[in-house]
Amino acid sequence: MITLKLPPVLRPFAGGAEQVEVEATTVGDALAATQPALRRRLTDEQGAVRRHVNIYLGSDNIRDLDGPDTPLTDGAELLILPSVAGG
């Protein structure tokens, strides 16, 4: 199982859960396995990770790895952090 850790701003789209567990072998598979409301916040219509969403595997941003094709092993944890803008 893969664990997706969610910040408070995304929890309403996952039924209030702090984390979601899915079965997946890549980051893209993990995102595709999430609930539709959460998936729409994380990916665009083509399934690509939205620009304002940062996903970390350990301390590495998946954009610095293989993006959605980044392989995952059982027990992996993904930290999902949307960018916050403000003034």
Side-chain angles (χ1 to χ4, degrees):
M1 295 296 281
I2 307 303
T3 302
L4 286 80
K5 294 185 173 191
L6 306 173
V9 69
L10 291 175
R11 292 175 189 167
F13 306 106
E18 292 182 27
Q19 56 188 28
V20 176
E21 291 188 348
V22 296
E23 289 191 39
T25 57
T26 67
V27 171
D29 292 343
L31 298 177
T34 63
Q35 296 140 325
L38 178 59
R39 187 171 51 250
R40 282 192 298 275
R41 300 312 185 279
L42 303 177
T43 61
D44 63 19
E45 294 76 21
Q46 289 77 38
V49 177
R50 292 185 182 277
R51 287 186 346 197
H52 68 276
V53 175
N54 296 297
I55 302 174
Y56 293 88
L57 175 60
S59 61
D60 296 313
N61 189 319
I62 65 158
R63 287 186 174 94
D64 297 330
L65 302 172
D66 291 325
D69 295 327
T70 301
L72 301 172
T73 58
D74 191 39
E77 294 183 347
L78 296 174
L79 175 62
I80 300 176
L81 296 174
S83 297
V84 178

